[in-house]
Amino acid sequence: MRARLLPNRIRETMAYILQQLLSKSAALYPDKMAVWAREKSLTYRELDERSNQLAHLLRQNGLKKGDRVGLYFPKAVESIVCMFAVLKAGGVYVPLDPQAPTDRIAYIISNCGIRILLTNYEKRQGLDAGTLQALDLCVLTDQTPKASNGAHVIPWTMLAEFPTMEPTAVELTEIDLAYILYTSGSTGRPKGVMLSHQNALTFVEWCAATFQVRSEDRLSNHAPLHFDLSVFDVYNAIEAGATVYLVTEDMALFPTTLAGFIESKQITIWYSVPSALILLLLHANLKPEKLPHLRTILFAGEVFPMKYLRLLAELLPAVELYNLYGPTETNVCTYFRVERERLAGMDKLPIGKACANTEVFAVNDQDEVVTVPGETGELFVRGPAVTYGYWADAEKTQKMVVPNRFQRHFEEKMYRTGDLVMLGEDGYYYFLGRRDSMIKSRGYRIELGEIESALLSHPGVREAAAVAIPDELVGNRIKAIVAPHDSQSLKSVDLQHYCSLRIPKYMIPEIIEFCPDLPKTSTGKIDRVQLVRSAMPVAS
Amino acid sequence: MTSAGNQEVGQPSAVIRDQIREFVRDSLASPKGIASFTDTESLTENGVVDSLGIFRLVSFLEDTFGTRISDEEITAQNLSSIELIEQLVVSKQQK
C-alpha cells in the first residue's frame, strides 16, 4: 500500500531489506511480468499482492519475527511468492531440495526448528509422521485441501481471503536473517548457512552495478532455489523490474530443450554452473544467430575447463562472460570478466578480484598476507557479504568465521574459505584446490565425510572411504571403497540404495569397490593418497 | 542405418522394452539407490536419469539397437519413460 501511494519516495530509498526490492518494482512496473515458470506467470502487481496475502496468512497463523519457514516443492511461480511472503511476514525462509531424501529434509526441519512448511500435497505425503507432528502448519501450494494428519493444513485457495496490501511492517533491520541455505557437512549432516538481508543485498547491489541489469532484461534461473546461484537470478531480476524465467528440474536435463527455452524466452542474462553450459555446447547445436538477445553469461560453482570456455567464447563472440567465485558463506566474493584476447594463451582461468564492498586476501603458512605474485595461501573474505555462521552450530561457526587478526583496532570477523589460491602476475587470484576433503560435482558442494558417514552407518560396513575422480564434464565423480564386516553379503546396489535414503543423489558413489581392509598410513589413518591414486584409472 | 547394430530389424517390441528396462535398472537406477519404477513413470522426475545418465542411455540405445539418435531427438518426449524410449527405438527401426 505504501508502495502504491508513494512510489517516488520508495524509489529514492535505498533498500536495506530484500522485500523492498519488490515494493519498489511493483510500484514502478505493476503490469510487467515478474516471474515465469511452467507456462504460468505473475506480474509485479500479482507477485506483490499474492506475497502480501500469504504474509498475512502466515502472521495470522502464528508466524513470529525470525521464525524459520521451509519451502519444499518443485520450482514454480509460487516459489517466488513464498520467498517474499516469508520475508514480508518477518520470517526466515529455508529452501529445501525437493529431490533430497526425506530423511535429510526431516533433519533440516528439526535442525533449524521449522514449524511452518510451504509445500505441496505430494511432498507433504512423503514426510514421516514424526516430522509432520513437529509442524504447526502446512500451506499447500497446490489446491488439494485434504490430508490433515499431523499439522494444520491450509490450501493455496485460502490466500484469496487475506488482504492484498502489505502487512504492517515488522521491525526488521538489514542484520536480520533472510534465509538459510543448507550445504553438505563433513560430520555427516548438512549445515545451515545463515544469510542476512545485508549479506544478500551486498551481493545484489554489486551485481546490479556490474552487470547493469535493466527492466528489459530476461534472466534465466537454472540453479535450484536451495543453491546460492539463484539469489542473483531472483533478486536482481526483481531489483531491476526485469523478468526471471525459472528452469524446472526436468527441462534442465535436455540440452536442446534448454537451448529452445533460451531462444524462445529471449533470455538476456544466463547464470549457471559450467557443466550446464558444457552440455549446451556439446549437445544443443547452439547457433549465435538464434540467441541474438543473450548478452551476458555468468558461471560459478566449479572450475570451467579452458577448452570448453574457449569454445563458448568463440561460439558466442558478442556475449560477455564472467567467472564468479565464492562459497555460499560469502555468496560471490571475487569475479573475473573473461578477456577474450587473453584466452588463447591462458592455461587456467582466474577467479579474479574482489567484488565491491568485499575484501579478499590470501594468508600463507607463515600467517602473512600474500602480496608477492606467484605466492600461494588460503583465501579469506571480509565485508558485509560474510555469513554469521551456521545455524545451531557454534563449534563449526568458530572454526570458519574467525576473528580478523590482521585488524588491530577493533573486533571483526572474516571467513576462511578453505580454498588455496595463488596471487597471479596479473593481480588476479587463481584457485588451486581445497585444504580439506570438500569436493564439487556439478557445482554442488560435497563433503566426502558426509558420504563416508552415510556408508559407515550401514551395519555391514566396517570401514569406508569416499574419493573423488576428476571429470571434465561434471567436475568430479565419486567412488567409494568399503571394507565390509562379512564379505559375502554386501552388494554395491544395496549400499547405494541405503545411501539414497540418507544423502542426495548427486552424493551417492557411482562406483563402490570392496576390499578386506582399507590401506593405512604409518600412523594408522586411512591412506587417502593411495586410494585416490588407485581410483584414477577407473575414470571413464 | 537400421541394421548396423547387433539386433535384427523388426525385433518384437516386448524384447526391446525388456532390454531398455534392464539397462535403466542396472546402470542408472540401482547406482542411485532406486529399486523400482514403472514403464510409464517419468525417469527424469523420479531422479533415475540425470544429465549424465541421459547420454549414457543414448549411447546404450545407439550401441544396442544400431540406431543413431541426434541431439534434437534427446528430449523429454522421447526419453522420459521406458515406454517412450521403446517407442522411439521401434519408430527408428521402422524407418
Side-chain angles (χ1 to χ4, degrees):
Chain A
M1 188 144 183
R2 286 173 314 176
R4 205 78 26 84
L5 293 175
L6 296 166
N8 290 328
R9 181 182 296 181
I10 295 290
R11 202 187 318 181
E12 287 158 14
T13 312
M14 185 93 145
Y16 62 89
I17 46 176
L18 286 165
Q19 54 268 44
Q20 290 166 335
L21 302 176
L22 175 58
S23 311
K24 182 194 78 172
S25 290
L28 291 173
Y29 313 102
D31 299 314
K32 222 178 146 246
M33 193 201 293
V35 53
W36 179 96
R38 301 177 196 274
E39 309 303 328
K40 269 172 77 178
S41 66
L42 293 175
T43 64
Y44 272 92
R45 179 187 287 117
E46 288 167 334
L47 175 60
D48 194 37
E49 291 184 353
R50 214 151 301 169
S51 57
N52 287 342
Q53 289 175 310
L54 181 55
H56 281 285
L57 183 157
L58 293 171
R59 292 286 291 280
Q60 282 195 22
N61 280 277
L63 186 139
K64 300 276 184 304
K65 180 180 165 181
D67 283 353
R68 280 76 55 213
V69 178
L71 270 54
Y72 184 46
F73 55 98
K75 263 188 206 177
V77 292
E78 288 80 11
S79 307
I80 314 301
V81 174
C82 290
M83 287 159 70
F84 279 103
V86 173
L87 297 176
K88 287 176 176 186
V92 179
Y93 70 82
V94 187
L96 302 167
D97 178 2
Q99 300 198 338
T102 49
D103 175 73
R104 202 174 205 251
I105 299 300
Y107 171 79
I108 296 173
I109 287 175
S110 125
N111 180 252
C112 67
I114 289 172
R115 308 294 293 271
I116 300 178
L117 193 63
L118 311 179
T119 183
N120 66 18
Y121 177 73
E122 190 200 328
K123 285 284 137 196
R124 185 182 175 282
Q125 286 293 94
L127 294 172
D128 63 274
T131 302
L132 288 174
Q133 281 294 321
L135 295 171
D136 294 335
L137 170 69
C138 285
V139 179
L140 300 184
T141 57
D142 48 5
Q143 311 297 342
T144 323
K146 53 189 175 193
S148 55
N149 56 321
H152 179 38
V153 174
I154 297 180
W156 198 251
T157 43
M158 278 291 282
L159 257 62
E161 302 187 11
F162 290 85
T164 55
M165 76 225 186
E166 206 166 318
T168 38
V170 184
E171 292 298 329
L172 287 175
T173 74
E174 63 181 2
I175 61 174
D176 280 305
L177 288 189
Y179 50 91
I180 301 175
L181 302 180
Y182 275 79
T183 127
S184 181
S186 57
T187 52
R189 286 299 196 178
K191 52 186 193 281
V193 182
M194 300 186 280
L195 281 321
S196 68
H197 288 269
Q198 185 191 31
N199 290 154
L201 280 167
T202 301
F203 170 66
V204 170
E205 279 159 16
W206 171 77
C207 289
T210 306
F211 308 122
Q212 293 288 305
V213 188
R214 297 179 291 261
S215 67
E216 312 83 69
D217 273 313
R218 290 171 295 276
L219 285 72
S220 62
N221 165 245
H222 180 272
L225 295 170
H226 60 279
F227 206 162
D228 69 345
L229 271 69
S230 58
V231 171
F232 167 79
D233 308 333
V234 174
Y235 291 107
N236 276 97
I238 301 298
E239 190 275 341
T243 307
V244 59
Y245 292 84
L246 310 187
V247 177
T248 43
E249 292 82 353
D250 51 333
M251 208 158 108
L253 288 179
F254 299 97
T256 51
T257 310
L258 206 49
F261 159 84
I262 301 174
E263 187 188 337
S264 69
K265 299 303 174 202
Q266 305 182 345
I267 297 298
T268 61
I269 305 179
W270 170 273
Y271 187 20
S272 75
V273 290
S275 49
L277 284 163
I278 295 172
L279 282 177
L280 279 173
L281 268 176
L282 297 181
H283 297 285
N285 194 18
L286 287 182
K287 294 258 190 311
E289 61 272 19
K290 286 187 171 173
L291 309 171
H293 302 279
L294 190 61
R295 67 175 179 90
T296 302
I297 292 177
L298 315 174
F299 51 88
E302 61 195 345
V303 178
F304 206 137
M306 286 304 291
K307 71 168 186 187
Y308 293 124
L309 181 59
R310 288 194 196 101
L311 212 61
L312 183 68
E314 280 166 29
L315 187 71
L316 302 172
V319 177
E320 294 235 324
L321 306 171
Y322 288 88
N323 183 22
L324 308 186
Y325 158 88
T328 304
E329 288 85 342
T330 67
N331 210 319
V332 167
C333 59
T334 73
Y335 74 110
F336 174 74
R337 191 180 68 80
V338 174
E339 300 157 4
R340 282 187 161 75
E341 61 285 2
R342 281 183 64 195
L343 263 186
M346 262 181 167
D347 54 354
K348 211 170 180 343
L349 189 68
I351 56 169
K353 57 181 184 185
C355 306
N357 208 357
T358 298
E359 187 186 349
V360 299
F361 47 90
V363 178
N364 64 20
D365 288 341
Q366 287 76 49
D367 203 28
E368 299 153 346
V369 172
V370 167
T371 52
V372 183
E375 254 197 278
T376 62
E378 181 178 355
L379 195 74
F380 283 76
V381 187
R382 67 181 287 265
V386 172
T387 177
Y388 299 140
Y390 307 101
W391 183 268
D393 194 342
E395 198 183 320
K396 184 85 187 159
T397 299
Q398 269 176 20
K399 257 187 147 150
M400 303 306 289
V401 188
V402 297
N404 180 358
R405 52 190 180 276
F406 304 102
Q407 173 59 266
R408 302 193 197 291
H409 307 295
F410 52 89
E411 280 183 25
E412 66 156 64
K413 296 281 177 71
M414 58 180 179
Y415 176 70
R416 57 179 310 174
T417 61
D419 284 341
L420 292 172
V421 298
M422 184 193 72
L423 180 59
E425 296 284 345
D426 51 11
Y428 294 126
Y429 288 100
Y430 287 76
F431 174 76
L432 299 178
R434 290 287 302 170
R435 292 202 84 128
D436 54 21
S437 62
M438 190 190 92
I439 61 150
K440 289 280 186 97
S441 182
R442 296 183 183 86
Y444 285 106
R445 269 164 73 158
I446 299 173
E447 293 281 1
L448 292 173
E450 189 171 357
I451 301 171
E452 287 165 4
S453 122
L455 289 165
L456 283 166
S457 69
H458 189 285
V461 173
R462 190 164 46 84
E463 288 181 312
V467 294
I469 304 171
D471 179 278
E472 227 174 31
L473 227 50
V474 294
N476 282 292
R477 290 171 159 201
I478 300 156
K479 174 181 166 179
I481 301 94
V482 169
H485 281 297
D486 161 17
S487 58
Q488 302 303 312
S489 56
L490 206 55
K491 289 203 201 89
S492 60
V493 287
D494 301 332
L495 265 184
Q496 283 162 331
H497 176 69
Y498 181 81
C499 284
S500 76
L501 304 174
R502 285 157 182 84
I503 52 179
K505 292 195 179 60
Y506 57 81
M507 289 174 66
I508 300 172
E510 236 178 279
I511 308 159
I512 300 185
E513 225 173 66
F514 294 94
C515 63
D517 281 295
L518 262 51
K520 305 282 166 23
T521 63
S522 56
T523 56
K525 287 186 184 162
I526 290 174
D527 189 348
R528 293 187 168 276
V529 179
Q530 199 194 317
L531 284 174
V532 170
R533 204 177 297 142
S534 62
M536 286 310 160
V538 181
S540 53
Chain B
M1 193 168 179
T2 49
S3 56
N6 54 12
Q7 299 295 327
E8 294 296 319
V9 179
Q11 193 180 13
S13 63
V15 178
I16 294 177
R17 188 183 285 214
D18 287 347
Q19 282 177 294
I20 296 168
R21 194 188 303 109
E22 192 179 322
F23 171 81
V24 170
R25 188 189 61 216
D26 295 347
S27 301
L28 303 176
S30 290
K32 291 190 183 305
I34 296 165
S36 65
F37 52 87
T38 67
D39 286 357
T40 50
E41 195 172 326
S42 165
L43 302 172
T44 55
E45 274 167 38
N46 65 12
V48 166
V49 173
D50 62 13
S51 55
L52 281 184
I54 287 283
F55 293 98
R56 290 176 61 191
L57 173 64
V58 168
S59 301
F60 163 79
L61 298 175
E62 291 187 336
D63 294 347
T64 310
F65 302 108
T67 178
R68 166 93 183 91
I69 294 169
S70 68
D71 284 338
E72 285 69 29
E73 289 171 313
I74 305 176
T75 60
Q77 290 75 35
N78 284 332
L79 296 172
S80 61
S81 73
I82 299 292
E83 193 173 58
L84 290 170
I85 300 167
E86 180 212 313
Q87 283 169 15
L88 173 72
V89 170
V90 170
S91 79
K92 295 207 65 117
Q93 288 193 333
Q94 283 165 354
K95 274 179 199 161

